[in-house]
Amino acid sequence: MDEIFRIANQLAANGQTPTTALVKARLRQPVPMATLISAIQRWKQDPQAYQSLGMPGQTENASAENTAAENTEPSLERLQQQVEQLQQQVIMLAKRVSLLEQLGG
């Protein structure tokens, strides 16, 4: 039902009155008609009660999403360690190539 309320919020924000046809056309998955009608009636009785659900495509807790994104980003120290490891691998591979060239040549 939350998706129905979000769509109704979006329609209202765009100046349109949420109707079963408008909401149904925007649903990602089919919903029983009785559920759709009931949800729209509930939304029309008190649209403000469902504003906290936001709009379609929005997360319910954007700040939590931002925090999670910050925690998953590599730290500067970690990136520096990765660069050092890659540099060591390049040196090792260069030595191997040089050795193979000597053996083959």
Side-chain angles (χ1 to χ4, degrees), residues 73-89:
E73 290 181 19
S75 68
L76 183 58
E77 285 181 20
R78 185 170 174 202
L79 290 173
Q80 288 172 334
Q81 289 174 350
Q82 289 175 343
V83 167
E84 288 174 12
Q85 289 173 350
L86 290 171
Q87 287 173 333
Q88 289 172 1
Q89 287 178 349

Side-chain angles (χ1 to χ4, degrees), residues 38-58:
S38 171
I40 291 173
Q41 287 174 344
R42 285 175 48 193
W43 184 89
K44 285 183 177 181
Q45 288 174 355
D46 190 7
Q48 296 301 317
Y50 303 100
Q51 291 300 314
S52 65
L53 295 174
M55 306 284 183
Q58 284 184 334

